[in-house]
Amino acid sequence: RAILLADQALAKALTRGDAAGEGWARLARGFHLIYFARPRVAAPELQAAQQIFERLGDSSGRILAQTGLARGLWREGRYDESLQLVLALRDEGLAVLRHDQRGLLLNAIAGCYSARNESEQAFAYMYQALRDAPPARGHGYDAVLHCNLAHELMQLGDYDEALKHVEAGLARFDHAKSPRLASVLWVNRIIVLTEVGRAAEVLADIER
């Protein structure tokens, strides 16, 4: 549904000569393609969005497009390059971005540190991102952050604390709207409960 709406928005923007609309539509398409295609497929859309936002002087859009490009580098395993890019955006991003947008940048930084096994830095950015993505906004991004925190804690062997974040993530959104995220959280709960000797409780999650 997301990519369909982004495609429709892009078509309307091009028909109307709406540069801002085109930039945001391409940004949405780019982020979608990072996860559901390949980063290199997403890069042209994100680069086009970045150029549009630069022409319009839209700092928020430009920073988000660059964050998307950094996320693509991260998904290709180019963690140092990704970190260099997002750290260069950090100060301006914290001043310009708001709420979920700010959380997106912070989570990208956290992911880079996590990939470099620098958990202390990763946690700091994850928790800061969580503060900027409250559940009251209803977008479900806080569930993603709880999932990431749980994963980091699992890597460190802190299963009790990881379980708290898994449960928080599952409680934060409509599972039917994001079965992919729900599945990741259920898998994490299966692993955590198994590790703490509660494997008999995970059968329902396995069925889901």
Side-chain angles (χ1 to χ4, degrees):
R1 188 175 175 205
I3 195 66
L4 176 62
L5 291 170
D7 289 343
Q8 292 173 352
L10 179 58
K12 289 181 180 179
L14 292 172
T15 299
R16 298 171 182 173
D18 176 4
E22 179 186 352
W24 287 103
R26 292 194 183 281
L27 184 70
R29 280 179 47 78
F31 270 99
H32 188 279
L33 291 169
I34 288 173
Y35 295 103
F36 295 99
R38 289 176 59 84
R40 291 182 183 180
V41 177
E45 288 282 25
L46 293 167
Q47 289 165 348
Q50 178 184 341
Q51 291 168 4
I52 291 169
F53 292 132
E54 286 174 346
R55 291 200 305 270
L56 296 175
D58 186 332
S59 298
S60 295
R62 172 180 52 77
I63 293 168
L64 290 172
Q66 290 176 289
T67 301
L69 290 167
R71 195 66 176 172
L73 292 172
W74 184 89
R75 288 184 66 83
E76 291 181 332
R78 298 160 64 182
Y79 305 126
D80 291 342
E81 293 175 66
S82 180
L83 181 61
Q84 184 177 9
L85 179 52
V86 287
L87 286 181
L89 299 170
R90 180 185 59 191
D91 292 346
E92 184 184 9
L94 292 178
V96 171
L97 302 178
R98 293 292 180 267
H99 301 301
D100 293 1
Q101 294 180 347
R102 194 176 183 188
L104 196 67
L105 172 60
L106 292 168
N107 192 45
I109 298 173
C112 291
Y113 280 120
S114 176
R116 288 158 53 100
N117 295 316
E118 297 180 40
S119 291
E120 184 175 344
Q121 290 276 33
F123 279 126
Y125 282 103
M126 284 181 192
Y127 281 115
Q128 188 176 356
L130 191 59
R131 287 196 298 271
D132 285 311
R137 292 181 60 81
H139 294 169
Y141 190 57
D142 59 318
V144 174
L145 296 168
H146 280 296
C147 183
N148 290 350
L149 281 162
H151 180 73
E152 192 70 20
L153 288 161
M154 287 163 60
Q155 298 302 307
L156 296 176
D158 190 345
Y159 297 111
D160 291 331
E161 192 66 22
L163 182 59
K164 293 178 185 177
H165 285 286
V166 170
E167 299 291 8
L170 286 167
R172 288 295 195 269
F173 72 111
D174 182 349
H175 302 171
K177 289 183 178 179
S178 184
R180 182 170 179 261
L181 176 56
S183 295
V184 174
L185 285 162
W186 284 326
V187 167
N188 282 349
R189 187 159 66 182
I190 291 164
I191 294 169
V192 168
L193 290 175
T194 302
E195 289 289 345
V196 297
R198 296 167 57 187
E201 300 176 35
V202 307
L203 296 178
D205 287 338
I206 292 171
E207 288 298 325
R208 291 188 188 99

